[in-house]
Amino acid sequence: MKVNIFDKDILKQFSNICATITAILSAVLIFLDIPNQWRIVSGVVYVSFLSVTYVFLWIRANRLRQVDIKIGTTTVVVKSGDIFKEDGLKAIAFNEYFDTVVDDKIVAKKSLNGQFIMNHITNVEELDFDIEHDDDLKSNIIGRAVERKQGKTTKYKLGSSILIDDEYILTAFSRFNKENQAELTIQEYVNFLLTFWNEINRLYAQRSVTVPVFGSGITRFKNGFEDIDINELLRIMIWTFKISKIRFAYPAKLTIIVHDDLLSKVNLYELRENE
């Protein structure tokens, strides 16, 4: 179970329920008198009811598939699902070169950006042209990797983003090492998110935005954070969003999609503490 049976929030909910029930019973028993032969039975029934109620709260907390968090005027929804089926804008993480060659060497076919390129882009050459000639991306070029034997050579600042087809926001998320493996330090991850939220503020135009849990795929974290888990990544994402300037006015919202395979590892109940 993801949520401890003695979780403080469950205990708090249970205490509130107990207080309400006790108040109601106290009011009722002013006018009713329980016969002596039924008092023990009534006590057993009362304790059993409270025990079942507590177990119900605990099981429900562990089976949550969605949680809504209120941050200022923004509703942040964390849930499982398919990002491509969500309404509004959808963020897709690319590497720092915005590579588009899906060959399991540069871009993995099973990755989110691999699925995006294969299933939602009809003309890759046109996508490459749009990326290369976008004025905002041009201002975020930080160098050229002329030594690269495969893929593009223009390197962009992490967090740099471009709007494609008025539906997808492509963002430079991870660095690539010499073996074309995605990697990041935790400092780069936080800096990426802060830049990314600013880019969202520039591009979203009062629409809802859906993002994946950045870093929960094949990205390798370095410098002592190799074992960082998805719960920590989610907390960092929510924290950086909270301190950013972006706010979504109702009915627009931010949705963070957790892959179904990872949902069993995510403590959605605990995330409510970020409110």
Side-chain angles (χ1 to χ4, degrees):
M1 290 292 189
K2 297 172 287 186
V3 182
N4 188 284
I5 192 168
F6 297 115
D7 181 88
K8 62 180 182 180
D9 283 342
I10 295 178
L11 289 170
K12 184 177 179 180
Q13 281 190 60
F14 181 68
S15 296
N16 291 336
I17 291 173
C18 286
T20 301
I21 293 174
T22 300
I24 294 172
L25 287 176
S26 298
V28 170
L29 291 177
I30 292 175
F31 306 99
L32 294 178
D33 185 31
I34 300 176
N36 290 335
Q37 64 270 28
W38 289 104
R39 289 185 178 180
I40 295 178
V41 174
S42 299
V44 171
V45 170
Y46 179 64
V47 171
S48 298
F49 173 77
L50 292 181
S51 299
V52 170
T53 300
Y54 191 88
V55 172
F56 168 77
L57 292 174
W58 178 54
I59 292 175
R60 186 184 65 172
N62 278 284
R63 291 187 175 180
L64 276 178
R65 296 187 63 85
Q66 175 175 327
V67 64
D68 294 0
I69 304 167
K70 197 71 174 178
I71 299 177
T73 59
T74 304
T75 298
V76 179
V77 180
V78 184
K79 67 176 186 178
S80 64
D82 183 347
I83 192 172
F84 295 111
K85 294 181 180 179
E86 295 294 317
D87 295 329
L89 299 175
K90 294 164 270 288
I92 309 296
F94 276 64
N95 62 33
E96 60 187 327
Y97 300 102
F98 282 100
D99 280 320
T100 55
V101 177
V102 184
D103 58 358
D104 282 333
K105 294 179 181 179
I106 299 178
V107 178
K109 295 177 182 178
K110 291 185 178 180
S111 66
L112 187 62
N113 62 322
Q115 291 294 310
F116 166 71
I117 294 168
M118 291 190 301
N119 301 324
H120 299 274
I121 292 297
T122 56
N123 190 325
V124 176
E125 290 76 16
E126 184 177 331
L127 173 62
D128 288 335
F129 180 89
D130 290 339
I131 291 171
E132 183 179 353
H133 293 86
D134 184 80
D135 290 334
D136 291 298
L137 285 185
K138 284 181 180 179
S139 66
N140 284 316
I141 294 174
I142 59 174
R144 309 277 178 181
V146 294
E147 72 280 359
R148 288 194 88 199
K149 296 179 180 179
Q150 295 176 297
K152 301 177 182 178
T153 58
T154 302
K155 184 185 296 187
Y156 298 88
K157 176 184 176 182
L158 297 187
S160 304
S161 302
I162 178 175
L163 181 63
I164 296 294
D165 296 334
D166 205 35
E167 183 178 4
Y168 296 99
I169 295 176
L170 313 188
T171 185
F173 166 64
S174 59
R175 300 205 181 282
F176 255 27
N177 60 25
K178 294 180 180 180
E179 288 73 40
N180 286 326
Q181 296 173 330
E183 60 181 23
L184 276 178
T185 65
I186 198 66
Q187 292 81 9
E188 289 172 332
Y189 184 69
V190 171
N191 289 335
F192 155 77
L193 286 168
L194 293 173
T195 301
F196 174 74
W197 296 132
N198 285 333
E199 290 287 82
I200 291 295
N201 200 32
R202 175 175 65 87
L203 297 169
Y204 85 107
Q206 305 300 317
R207 289 172 287 181
S208 292
V209 177
T210 302
V211 302
V213 182
F214 293 112
S216 62
I218 60 175
T219 302
R220 296 163 176 82
F221 285 88
K222 306 186 299 180
N223 299 346
F225 289 88
E226 289 81 1
D227 297 325
I228 191 168
D229 69 13
I230 189 170
N231 289 288
E232 293 171 301
L233 296 177
L234 276 167
R235 283 193 289 270
I236 294 172
M237 287 183 66
I238 294 170
W239 171 70
T240 54
F241 179 81
K242 185 183 294 186
I243 65 174
S244 72
K245 297 179 180 179
I246 183 173
R247 292 293 180 266
F248 293 87
Y250 181 85
K253 63 182 181 295
L254 171 68
T255 300
I256 303 176
I257 291 290
V258 180
H259 194 281
D260 286 337
D261 294 342
L262 296 174
L263 187 63
S264 62
K265 300 178 181 180
V266 177
N267 188 344
L268 293 177
Y269 192 74
E270 185 183 59
L271 287 177
R272 301 179 313 154
E273 297 179 3
N274 287 278
E275 289 188 280

